[in-house]
């Protein structure tokens, strides 16, 4: 029999051959497996007819399969199997990513040995909390298992196999070596009845070969994100939450005390989110009813958080209910059931005396309507940031009231109901969530187990063999480093809370720093949870530095730039190398229990001229190094009328403060007030609601050359920063709406009721500009750190842009700024769009001596 024609080829990684197309199904109590040839077109497998579509090009291929029941009675479609063989490279030593099913599931590099997936120390119910399958098929003995996707390396050759899940089915990937290479099989777990003549769509599967396993994962995530409509443009989230200091014992007073401290420390510790975690509710499931420790309820707290200038966040476990909850007592028919009665999704002794936690059944329309209503009310209270926890409970292996809704669909339905209730603007953070079905619904995703006040797990209930999935700082670091490729491709990665304090924890100073360095260098969300009023100076400094660096790494490009050092070589990678707009970051990590030597090379990010970092790390220790970029330029760009096509503040003032503008402007021109005092008179208290502002922001477009300018800078390692005398609220929302991301300096805007309250940004009383953001100050700060850099300012207005243009080495100007500079006899480069600026920057890049010539 002739060998199949490869569907994927790569000059280094060899080829991938289609081997078989299989179907798993049930009729009554009987289980069946049939197989046929994996090829495009129609294929018959037992009583099933499969339509296979293949999109293959070079080193990757995508498969879409529709399955029809050609029999005369309904059958349970368990799974569709796509089987391949990887040929070509030396496969005697293959390492692969064992990717976990949900947020907390172990994700690490393993050796592809002959033993296969390690046996689980307990039964299917417990295994089903962390794996897509509580009990693998019997014929998978000796196969290694990975959920959603995997990447493997054989020397320099790399393989990817993954499923682009959208809530139809779960994907499980199996691998094993054989005499001819590596067998790779993708199982699409459909798990639903199919009536005679009916057809069921499966998820798209992707396979690829290359010479960089991380690059293959990044490409896979980008494709998955595009197909599922990933929400990747929400502004970077930094925040504080109650959990890792107060845990279940949090009170209203604890929140208020920290809120006051956060407001007082805004310039030192710039967080945007204040989130109340578990402990505020009367009972699990009754999210609108507060505990006695919150005597005023939670709505007043949301308003006080917002009035202080922060985003109000709230934790829920939306699918969970305990027997003492009102929803359990009023609607037992809404709960998932198995053969023994009510289905338990988890055991949690802190929530209820018997530890039993039950699960709402999102296959029911009534449950989805309930979820939509509850979250609409929470957002109406002011909680626009929602942390959704224990989401895996909805997707465990139990049949819902509607058997035609698979558990992947059930999870997707529940999440969609929450999104409808919250609206498009709310930030949804998934936690303990099977990852695939959440793409396109959540804005952020926890990608590791809970951190803990200890390096190894100190959980009160230790489950032998499950330690890698339980709360522990080591476990969190492991998953953060192995899942960085997801960041800004599927969502914002949430590495879980930084724990900066060590005085009342079992963490050493080195261990706390290793967590902080991993969070910062990954560029993911940065949340801390220490009691701020009691936090010491060193711990506060660690929080400040972590928040700042994570924000800078996140802003480094449209997608995440952080990459694991030594990916797939160890269970926990050796560290992180990430690009920022002004250079890069190298973090070396030793998660092991003995000292190691590390070598990390910044050249892997194109940061030339920087020597590799060589050092010895003690157990659980790390080292962080900021790498300056080699670029000789630094670019600063105005926002309103330059980077975007409209002036937000001026346009809204004209509409909502028209009667005050002429008099205030005359006083400004007469020198009776500064530019910032003019802003205060016109914009502070502006009666423009969030809805009205949103409508206006949606009308704004980027300058035609805006993204090209950022790309030009990113490719050359040139720092790019927006300097705006506008407001952070608007810049954050515009980044989300316009699909861009950048570092910026701006004034602060918050709402009190439906009116604006504004505060100045980095101003300078000694500068003639008198603006809230002194652009000359921002440029001078960069020049002090990088005296060799040629500074460039781009702007269009004579008020806020003039001092920046005069401070910079090169000024690009148009409109009233160009007129002002011309009148002063100051040289400038004219432009119409930012495309013109790129051409000018090219000249400076090629010949810095061209300035002034």
């Amino acid at each position: 029999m002739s060998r199949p024609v490869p569907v994927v080829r790569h000059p280094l990684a060899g080829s991938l051959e289609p081997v078989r197309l299989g179907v798993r199904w049930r009729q009554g109590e009987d289980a069946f497996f049939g197989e046929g040839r994996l090829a495009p077109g129609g294929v018959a497998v037992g009583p099933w007819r499969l339509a296979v579509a293949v999109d293959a090009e070079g080193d990757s291929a995508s498969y879409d399969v529709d399955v029809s029941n050609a029999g005369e009675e309904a059958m349970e479609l368990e799974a569709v199997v796509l089987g391949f063989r990887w040929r070509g490279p030396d496969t005697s030593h293959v390492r692969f990513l064992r990717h976990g099913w949900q947020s907390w599931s172990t994700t690490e590099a393993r050796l592809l040995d002959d033993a296969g997936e390690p046996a689980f120390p307990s039964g299917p119910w417990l295994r089903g909390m962390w794996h897509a399958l509580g009990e693998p098929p019997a014929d998978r003995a000796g196969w290694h298992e990975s959920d959603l996707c995997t990447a493997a390396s054989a020397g320099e050759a790399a393989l990817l196999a993954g499923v682009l899940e959208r809530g139809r089915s779960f994907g499980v990937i199996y691998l094993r070596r054989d005499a001819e290479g590596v067998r790779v099989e993708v199982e699409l777990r459909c798990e639903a009845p199919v009536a005679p003549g009916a057809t069921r769509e499966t998820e798209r599967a992707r396979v690829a070969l290359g010479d960089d396993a991380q690059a293959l994962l990044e490409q896979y995530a980008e494709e998955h994100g595009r197909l599922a409509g990933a929400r990747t443009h929400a502004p970077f989230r930094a925040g504080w939450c109650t959990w890792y200091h107060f845990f279940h014992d949090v009170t209203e007073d604890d929140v208020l005390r920290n809120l006051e401290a956060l407001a007082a420390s805004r310039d030192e510790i710039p967080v945007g989110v204040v989130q109340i975690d578990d402990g505020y509710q009367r009972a699990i499931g009754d999210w609108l009813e507060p505990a006695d420790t919150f005597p005023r309820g939670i709505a007043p707290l949301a308003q006080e958080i917002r009035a202080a200038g922060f985003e109000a966040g709230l934790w829920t476990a939306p699918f969970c209910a305990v027997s003492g909850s009102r929803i359990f007592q009023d609607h037992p028919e809404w709960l998932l059931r198995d053969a023994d009665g009510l289905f338990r999704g988890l055991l949690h002794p802190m929530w209820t005396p018997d530890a039993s936690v039950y699960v709402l059944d999102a296959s029911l329309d009534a449950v989805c309507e309930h979820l939509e209503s509850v979250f609409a009310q929470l957002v109406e209270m002011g909680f626009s940031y929602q942390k959704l926890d224990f989401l895996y409970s909805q997707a465990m292996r139990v049949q819902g009231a509607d058997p035609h809704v698979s558990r992947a669909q059930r999870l997707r339905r529940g999440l969609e109901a929450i999104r409808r209730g919250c609206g498009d603007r709310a930030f949804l953070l998934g936690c303990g969530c099977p990852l695939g079905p959440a793409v396109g619904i959540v804005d952020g995703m926890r990608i590791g187990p809970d951190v803990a006040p200890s390096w190894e797990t100190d959980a009160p209930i230790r489950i032998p063999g499950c330690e890698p999935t339980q709360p522990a700082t080591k476990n969190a670091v492991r998953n953060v480093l192995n899942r960085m490729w997801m960041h800004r491709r599927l969502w914002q990665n949430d590495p879980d809370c930084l724990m900066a304090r060590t005085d009342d924890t079992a963490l050493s100073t080195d261990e706390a720093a290793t967590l902080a360095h991993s969070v910062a260098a990954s560029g993911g969300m940065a949340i801390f949870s220490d009691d701020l009023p009691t936090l010491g100076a060193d711990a506060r400094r660690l929080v400040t530095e972590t928040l700042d660096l994570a924000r800078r790494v996140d802003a480094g490009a449209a997608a995440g730039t952080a990459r694991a050092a030594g990916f797939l070589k160890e269970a926990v990678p050796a560290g992180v190398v990430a690009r920022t707009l002004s250079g890069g970051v190298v973090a070396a990590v030793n998660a092991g229990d003995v000292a190691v030597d590390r070598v990390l090379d910044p050249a892997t990010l194109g940061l030339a001229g920087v020597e590799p970092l060589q050092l010895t790390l003690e157990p659980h220790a790390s080292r962080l190094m900021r790498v300056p970029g080699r670029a000789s330029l630094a670019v600063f760009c105005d926002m309103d009328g330059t980077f975007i096509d409209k002036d937000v503040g001026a346009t809204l003032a004209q509409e909502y403060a028209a009667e005050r503008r002429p008099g205030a402007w005359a006083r400004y021109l007469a020198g009776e007030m500064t530019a910032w005092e003019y802003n205060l008179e016109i914009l502070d208290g502006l009666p423009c609601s969030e809805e009205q502002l949103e409508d206006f922001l949606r009308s704004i477009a980027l300058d035609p050359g805006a993204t090209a300018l950022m790309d030009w800078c990113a490719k050359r390692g040139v720092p790019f920063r927006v300097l705006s005398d506008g407001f952070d609220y608007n810049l954050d929302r515009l980044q989300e709406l316009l699909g861009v991301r950048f570092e910026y300096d701006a004034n602060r805007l918050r709402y009190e009721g439906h009116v604006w309250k504004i505060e100045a940004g980095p101003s300078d009383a000694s500068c003639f500009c008198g603006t809230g953001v002194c652009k000359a100050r921002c440029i001078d700060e960069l020049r002090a750190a990088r005296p060799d850099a040629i500074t460039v300012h781009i702007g269009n207005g004579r008020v806020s842009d003039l001092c920046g243009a005069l401070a910079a080495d090169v000024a690009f100007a148009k409109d009233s700024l160009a007129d002002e500079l011309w009148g002063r006899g100051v040289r400038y480069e004219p432009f119409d769009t930012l495309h013109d600026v790129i051409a000018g920057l090219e000249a400076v890049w090629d010949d810095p001596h061209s300035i002034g010539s």
Side-chain angles (χ1 to χ4, degrees):
M1 183 177 178
S2 61
R3 280 172 45 182
V5 177
V7 69
V8 172
R9 297 178 185 272
H10 186 272
L12 175 65
S15 64
L16 204 60
E17 299 172 351
V19 173
R20 67 171 180 168
L21 175 65
V23 180
R24 299 185 190 276
W25 77 95
R26 289 182 176 275
Q27 283 183 284
E29 298 297 317
D30 298 323
F32 300 89
F33 179 82
E35 63 179 88
R37 190 166 64 95
L38 178 56
V43 181
V45 177
W48 302 93
R49 297 294 180 268
L50 293 86
V52 180
V54 183
D55 182 7
E57 183 176 356
D59 55 11
S60 66
S62 296
Y63 282 78
D64 291 289
V65 182
D66 293 344
V67 188
S68 301
N69 181 356
E72 297 180 352
E73 57 184 277
M75 295 179 289
E76 182 85 8
L77 177 61
E78 282 283 298
V80 174
V81 179
L82 309 179
F84 305 89
R85 177 175 281 109
W86 183 21
R87 293 182 182 272
D90 178 4
T91 57
S92 59
H93 186 84
V94 176
R95 293 186 65 83
F96 74 102
L97 180 68
R98 197 299 177 216
H99 188 262
W101 180 51
Q102 52 122 315
S103 301
W104 309 327
S105 301
T106 306
T107 295
E108 63 182 8
R110 294 179 181 173
L111 178 68
L112 191 68
D113 57 23
D114 295 331
E117 178 76 9
F120 194 77
S122 186
W125 177 77
L126 194 60
R127 189 183 197 271
M129 291 184 181
W130 291 291
H131 300 75
L133 291 179
E135 190 171 15
D139 57 19
R140 289 304 182 187
W143 292 77
H144 285 273
E145 178 182 301
S146 189
D147 293 295
L148 183 66
C149 65
T150 190
S153 66
E156 298 300 315
L159 158 82
L160 173 123
V163 180
L164 281 60
E165 294 183 13
R166 289 167 286 168
R168 296 173 181 168
S169 54
F170 290 120
V172 185
I173 319 300
Y174 292 97
L175 301 97
R176 75 174 186 191
R177 291 186 304 160
D178 67 12
E180 300 177 74
V182 173
R183 290 288 303 275
V184 183
E185 300 210 334
V186 179
E187 289 214 17
L188 306 170
R189 302 294 308 183
C190 303
E191 301 170 353
V194 182
T199 299
R200 192 155 186 110
E201 288 182 279
T202 63
E203 304 282 26
R204 178 172 297 173
R206 178 181 173 88
V207 290
L209 297 176
D211 57 10
D212 183 335
Q214 269 188 106
L216 292 179
L217 284 165
E218 290 163 354
Q219 293 160 12
Y220 157 76
E222 287 167 4
E223 181 65 22
H224 190 177
R226 280 192 295 270
L227 186 67
R231 297 172 61 93
T232 58
H233 297 305
F236 175 81
R237 274 346 194 246
W240 176 88
C241 85
T242 62
W243 180 245
Y244 287 105
H245 184 87
F246 301 105
F247 296 99
H248 296 280
D249 298 325
V250 65
T251 68
E252 179 181 315
D253 289 342
D254 296 327
V255 177
L256 291 174
R257 187 164 51 83
N258 276 274
L259 178 61
E260 181 180 5
L262 288 163
S265 306
R266 196 188 308 272
D267 291 335
E268 175 195 359
I269 302 176
V271 302
V273 177
V274 175
Q275 183 227 310
I276 304 168
D277 220 290
D278 187 4
Y280 70 88
Q281 72 284 347
R282 185 188 71 82
I284 295 296
D286 295 340
W287 311 114
L288 303 175
E289 299 183 39
D292 293 340
T293 49
F294 287 76
R296 296 184 300 152
I298 56 175
L301 273 180
Q303 295 310 311
E304 289 169 21
I305 292 169
R306 289 163 59 89
F310 300 99
E311 184 175 14
L314 193 70
W315 172 93
T316 61
F319 303 136
C320 296
V322 296
S323 59
S325 66
R326 200 174 310 280
I327 192 170
F328 179 96
Q329 295 161 7
D330 292 348
H331 293 287
E333 75 279 9
W334 286 0
L335 300 171
L336 284 170
R337 296 173 181 272
D338 60 16
D340 298 322
L342 292 178
F343 176 76
R344 292 187 300 178
L346 63 145
L347 298 175
H348 201 311
M350 296 296 292
W351 283 355
T352 184
D354 69 354
S356 296
V357 182
Y358 304 101
V359 187
L360 296 176
D361 180 358
S363 77
L364 294 169
D365 290 342
V367 168
C368 292
E369 290 165 3
H370 164 76
L371 291 168
E372 184 175 345
S373 173
V374 167
F375 281 90
Q377 292 178 71
L378 292 175
V379 171
E380 180 64 25
M381 289 180 188
F383 292 105
S384 56
Y385 176 104
Q386 292 288 333
K387 178 182 175 182
L388 313 172
D389 208 350
F390 291 92
L391 297 179
Y392 74 84
S393 60
Q394 187 62 236
M396 291 181 71
R397 192 71 187 269
V398 61
Q399 191 176 83
D402 184 346
H404 295 88
V405 178
S406 71
R407 55 200 178 101
Q409 289 175 311
R410 205 167 60 216
L411 173 60
R412 182 81 177 189
R413 277 171 56 90
L415 291 175
E416 287 173 339
I418 293 169
R419 171 56 74 186
R420 287 195 301 273
C422 290
D424 186 61
R425 291 287 308 279
F427 187 96
L428 302 189
L429 172 65
C431 188
C433 185
L435 300 173
V439 180
I441 299 178
V442 302
D443 304 278
M445 178 64 79
R446 266 283 291 286
I447 39 80
D450 285 17
V451 302
S454 60
W455 184 250
E456 304 286 352
T457 183
D458 66 348
I461 301 176
R462 294 177 69 99
I463 306 171
C466 297
E467 291 87 354
T469 67
Q470 293 191 272
T473 296
K474 175 184 177 179
N475 294 344
V477 169
R478 180 201 64 230
N479 273 34
V480 167
L481 300 187
N482 279 313
R483 280 178 167 165
M484 290 186 296
W485 50 272
M486 292 179 161
H487 182 59
R488 291 290 185 184
R489 296 178 176 90
L490 300 178
W491 40 57
Q492 286 187 53
N493 278 7
D494 172 24
D496 201 22
C497 286
L498 168 69
M499 297 184 72
R501 71 189 191 278
T502 57
D503 54 346
D504 65 345
T505 75
L507 289 172
S508 68
T509 301
D510 278 349
E511 290 165 348
T514 294
L515 174 62
H517 294 162
S518 300
V519 170
S522 77
M525 297 167 58
I527 311 293
F528 80 104
S529 193
D530 301 290
D531 186 36
L532 185 55
T534 63
L535 203 58
D538 289 344
R540 291 174 73 102
R541 185 161 46 251
L542 184 62
V543 170
T544 299
E545 292 172 353
T546 302
L547 297 182
D548 175 70
L549 189 54
R551 190 185 304 272
R552 292 179 183 275
V553 172
D554 178 63
T561 67
R563 307 193 87 207
F567 187 63
L568 296 186
K569 293 182 178 179
E570 302 177 46
V572 182
V576 184
V577 181
R579 187 175 68 245
T580 67
L581 293 174
S582 56
V585 177
V586 178
V589 172
N590 176 18
D593 297 329
V594 297
V596 297
D597 295 326
R598 289 279 189 246
V599 178
L600 281 81
D601 189 359
T604 59
L605 277 178
L607 300 173
V610 181
E611 293 297 318
L613 178 65
Q614 303 182 36
L615 69 161
T616 298
L617 289 176
E618 295 302 313
H620 312 170
S622 61
R623 180 176 165 189
L624 186 72
M625 183 177 75
R626 298 188 187 222
V627 180
R630 65 181 178 86
S632 57
L633 292 178
V635 176
F636 299 88
C637 185
D638 171 53
M639 185 72 175
D640 295 275
T642 303
F643 196 76
I644 58 175
D645 64 349
K646 296 175 184 175
D647 187 316
V648 177
T651 305
L652 293 174
Q654 185 174 356
E655 181 169 352
Y656 297 105
E659 71 286 350
R660 300 200 306 273
R661 291 184 73 236
W665 185 248
R667 291 166 58 202
Y668 168 73
L669 292 177
E672 297 173 7
M673 63 168 58
T674 65
W676 178 247
E677 289 168 340
Y678 171 83
N679 269 347
L680 281 173
E681 182 158 327
I682 299 300
L683 298 177
D684 195 50
L686 190 73
C688 174
S689 70
E690 291 176 86
E691 293 76 16
Q692 291 166 322
L693 176 57
E694 175 73 9
D695 288 343
F696 177 70
L697 293 178
R698 286 182 176 275
S699 74
I700 289 174
L702 291 170
D703 177 274
T707 54
L709 173 61
M710 288 193 299
D711 289 345
W712 188 92
C713 291
K715 289 176 182 177
R716 291 159 180 79
V718 172
F720 175 87
R721 192 174 189 87
V722 167
L723 302 181
S724 175
D725 204 34
F727 301 97
D728 55 0
Y729 181 107
N730 300 333
L731 269 67
D732 284 344
R733 184 60 181 146
L734 284 169
Q735 289 184 77
E736 191 169 7
L737 290 171
L738 298 172
V740 294
R741 202 160 64 260
F742 46 75
E743 294 182 2
Y744 68 80
D745 290 295
N747 302 306
R748 291 189 286 268
L749 163 66
R750 58 186 171 83
Y751 271 96
E752 285 189 4
H754 293 292
V755 301
W756 288 20
K757 299 300 294 181
I758 65 173
E759 300 173 32
S763 58
D764 184 351
S766 67
C767 183
F768 70 86
C769 67
T771 55
V773 173
C774 176
K775 299 185 179 183
R777 170 186 165 178
C778 298
I779 292 171
D780 287 343
E781 287 176 352
L782 182 283
R783 186 177 282 125
R786 297 279 303 281
D788 59 324
I790 298 169
T791 57
V792 177
H793 181 272
I794 311 163
N796 77 315
R798 61 175 177 165
V799 177
S800 68
D801 288 331
L802 181 58
C803 74
L806 295 176
D809 297 311
V810 180
F812 287 86
K814 66 177 180 177
D815 303 337
S816 61
L817 176 61
D819 295 339
E820 183 70 24
L821 294 176
W822 177 267
R824 290 171 175 252
V826 176
R827 188 182 189 280
Y828 67 90
E829 303 296 326
F831 75 98
D832 290 320
T833 76
L834 295 177
H835 281 301
D836 304 325
V837 173
I838 295 172
L841 291 176
E842 287 278 9
V844 177
W845 180 263
D846 292 338
D847 181 12
H849 301 292
S850 66
I851 298 173
S853 60

